Amino acid sequence: MHYVIIGNGVAGINAANSLRNYDDEAKITIISYETEHHFSRTALMYVLCGQLSEQCVEPFERDHYEKMGFKRINDKVSKLDPDANKLTLESGKTVQFDKLLIACGSLPAMYGWPGSELDGVGNFVTWQDLQWLKEKAKTAKKAVVVGGGLIGIETVEVLLLAGIEVTFLVREDFYWPVALNETEGTIIAEHIRHHKVNLRLKTEFAEILGKDGKVIGVKTGDGETINCELVVICVGVRPQTDWLKDSGVALDERGGIIADDNLQTNYDNIFTAGDCAAVMWFNNVRRPEQLWYTGRDQGRIVASNLIGMKKIYKRGTFYNSAKFFDIEYTTAGLVNFKLDGEKNFFSHEEGTYYTVRITYLADNTVVGFNMLGRRWDHRVLVNWVDEKRQLEWVLKHLHEALYDEEFMPTFTLNQKVS
Amino acid sequence: MQNSLMSTYNSPLKSKGMIAWVLSFLLFAFYLLIYFTNIPDSWANFVGLESKWNLYGVLYTISIVAGGLFFINTHGNSRYQKFRTFTLIFFQIIFAFSIPEIMGLFESKGFNFAKFWPLGIDLFNPKYIFEYPLLIIVYTFIGSLIVAPILTLLYGKRWYCSWVCGCGGLAETAGDPFRQLSSKSVKAWKFEQISIHTVLLLAILSTSLVIINWGLHFENSAGEWVTNYATFDLIASKIQGTYQFLVVAMLSGVLGVGLYPLMGSRVWCRFFCPMAALLGLIQKFGRFRITVKDEMCISCGNCSTYCEMGIDVRAYAQTNQDFKRASCVGCGMCAHVCPRGVLRLENKWDFRDTSDKEKRKVFDF
């Protein structure tokens, strides 16, 4: 049996590892053009600032492919012929497969702003972006980062460390409304400004200005001009599926490969996992979910389906974590869904960035947590949401979910209900 | 992000640049001079100290205090890091440096109360330890054989290796800029398992021979300390001498510190220290472990990179496995640098055995 995996990211490599666990004999081929070795995309910022080396962000030793018996092809797939079980590569070579896993990930979203093609405009998602930004960061004095999400703030952070003056354009009224409420967003915004970032909220981005093919500034929606030599656009990612458009593999309106509960596409022997797969979310919507841990999970599960075990990918209660400069963030359950009759218990420890927000319904059932500053055990929080615990009970047991380093004083709650 | 770490791989000193090789050479030269020549005695006299060992003690203490303050300045936002750096500085200044000096003022032989067998291999040498008052003898035996193992069962070997020990003290303070240089390869791990347990066996062998040999000696009518087993006496003192030269001087001093800028600050502790080996074995049965939050790891590699003992922490974190490793000195840096708060040092008897045999095959555990 020849398994071919397109993509060497977290979904692809985990699928390959699991496949090998199930089957010592299987022929496994991984096709990718981005890097020779699997690397952790989430760690690009640390490589840029020098906290980690390029090899540090490779989760496996260099001989992993050899040891596991994976064949690596450094090429880009340009065409899929599902009826002939055939892939055509950019080099012109073809690859036959028995079963195929498409885990080709996503690309930075660009919305065709005028000036996007100028020298000095880019993203911070791929290995190639890292090399590009590393080079640019050596000479740039002023930069504009567009997009108020996680990649945006991480880019701001590393550019600052490189000694660059950064303007951070965020379209929304406060920082990251997808994950934070206004109070939390304001705390983060203050923290961003505290690090001497020129944070501009409620600012639309209109066009990039250039001279002789190079960036000289950006124009905001209000017509204001901000001078800079570097523009990094971090407004999200989209599935990297343009090459599949006429292949017969069914895509959704976002470009995600439609995956059923077994992560199978509309072809029996073609599966998908990771950023490019439109999977069922916790709220029963089918769309791509571009998270690290869902990619890893899907990779492991799709492997059992590739060998024919029929395992169902079931997305449990949502949780995630992040870090905004020095502020850690943990979330679990449904916190920003404006559910019917929801109320929020909110507590902010004075003089700190430590906040606790517990979202609950009219009958006092807790549905979600949003925590800043301290470390929390999301497993405990998720359990409480699943068990439909009452607010009073949760507040009494909250210390059990604390995951701070030793010797950290415990939290104090000063209740504020909104 | 840890501000102090941000430039690690941009700094030639911290990433094996030319300057790191020069520094390593200088450290080698310094240690060779100190251990095997009397030249440093003249330096000591020059600054008004009695011998090269006094000079070495002063320099060692200054390095720990200065390095420790620098460390607290950069990682002091973690209370655990602050706590253990303060204890290291405390034990160096008070226990390793001041108390022996003060004892010297009262005309008694200095004694380091922060050292236990088998790190201080002579502590179980009857000839050496019986020159001390009874209280010190009892302290040493109870400390080495009862208190140290019990504390390790309760808190892990970190109570000694990264809160008290002088070797660990230098590694965690002045040696901290080099922690990322430890090799994370499986090869290095396999070498470590062989080398460190070999040294432990040598330490036990050497100590046993010395004790037996002492027992075979007696005072003759002329008041001389003699033995009827001359060959055994010769072998025992040869082995003792070899251990002193090879392990104490070469491995803990010359190589241990000389390789800081090239192989990280814990070369001695990781590959050779018999105390670390012994406490490590006990640690496997103790409460201390590192807990991993399921499915939260982003495989960034900060934990593995900044593990001075070369443990590939990420391999456990990304496969959701709580773990106990004999070599872990519990410095807590993996948890401290984790950008997602995945790791935590814990003392709890119940161990969630999350090791998965299937995964083991993949990750070569």
Side-chain angles (χ1 to χ4, degrees), chain B residues 26-27 30-31 34 40 43-44 47 49 51-68 92-93 97 101 166 169-170 173-174 257:
Chain B
L26 291 176
L27 286 168
F30 173 76
Y31 269 89
I34 280 269
W43 308 341
V47 292
L49 292 166
S51 77
K52 60 182 182 185
W53 296 116
N54 297 90
L55 176 69
Y56 181 61
V58 170
L59 288 176
Y60 204 93
T61 307
I62 291 176
S63 305
I64 287 185
V65 173
Q92 179 60 29
I93 293 181
F97 187 75
E101 288 289 323
L170 190 68
T173 53
V257 182

Side-chain angles (χ1 to χ4, degrees), chain B residues 247-297:
Chain B
V247 179
V248 180
M250 290 307 292
L251 295 178
S252 86
V254 182
L255 277 181
V257 182
L259 286 174
Y260 267 26
L262 302 176
M263 291 177 69
S265 52
R266 289 281 194 173
V267 173
W268 157 248
C269 315
R270 179 184 180 193
F271 296 111
F272 308 114
C273 176
M275 183 88 179
L278 187 62
L279 298 186
L281 292 174
I282 298 169
Q283 172 161 277
K284 291 287 264 184
F285 299 98
R287 295 195 303 174
F288 173 71
R289 96 292 304 272
I290 293 179
T291 307
V292 170
K293 271 198 308 205
D294 295 342
E295 295 296 332
M296 198 57 111
C297 172

Side-chain angles (χ1 to χ4, degrees), chain A residues 74-108:
Chain A
N74 269 316
D75 208 333
K76 196 169 178 174
V77 183
S78 52
K79 207 174 149 245
L80 162 64
D81 184 346
D83 300 314
N85 292 344
K86 194 176 82 177
L87 294 169
T88 310
L89 309 181
E90 273 193 349
S91 61
K93 286 188 191 133
T94 58
V95 177
Q96 285 293 137
F97 59 85
D98 295 317
K99 288 190 176 174
L100 177 69
L101 170 61
I102 308 173
C104 57
S106 45
L107 283 174

Side-chain angles (χ1 to χ4, degrees), chain A residues 104-161:
Chain A
C104 57
S106 45
L107 283 174
M110 295 288 271
Y111 294 101
W113 291 286
S116 299
E117 73 296 339
L118 290 166
D119 179 25
V121 182
N123 315 95
F124 192 35
V125 171
T126 64
W127 194 258
Q128 287 70 25
D129 290 342
L130 170 70
Q131 306 305 333
W132 167 80
L133 197 54
K134 224 179 197 174
E135 206 45 48
K136 289 289 169 192
K138 283 182 193 158
T139 52
K141 298 268 181 301
K142 285 181 178 180
V144 171
V145 176
V146 183
L150 199 53
I151 302 180
I153 198 166
E154 291 183 347
T155 310
V156 168
E157 204 175 333
V158 286
L159 291 180
L160 273 187
L161 288 171

Side-chain angles (χ1 to χ4, degrees), chain A residues 21 40 42 46 49-51 56 58 60-61 161 296 300 319 321 323 375-376 378-379 404-406, chain B residues 1 6 9 78 158 186 292-295 297-299 302 306 314 318 335 338-340 358 362-363:
Chain A
N21 269 340
S40 173
T42 46
Y46 300 106
C49 69
Q51 180 163 327
C56 288
E58 293 169 12
F60 305 107
E61 285 202 60
L161 288 171
R296 184 168 50 200
R300 287 171 186 163
Y319 62 85
S321 68
K323 196 172 182 185
R375 290 181 173 178
W376 298 88
H378 67 281
R379 295 170 299 186
D404 276 329
E405 283 179 72
E406 289 162 297
Chain B
M1 167 155 321
M6 70 194 189
Y9 285 91
S78 154
R158 56 184 176 150
V186 174
V292 170
K293 271 198 308 205
D294 295 342
E295 295 296 332
C297 172
I298 55 168
S299 300
N302 275 295
Y306 289 98
R314 168 171 54 194
Q318 67 193 0
C338 176
R340 295 293 180 269
E358 280 298 301
V362 175
F363 301 108

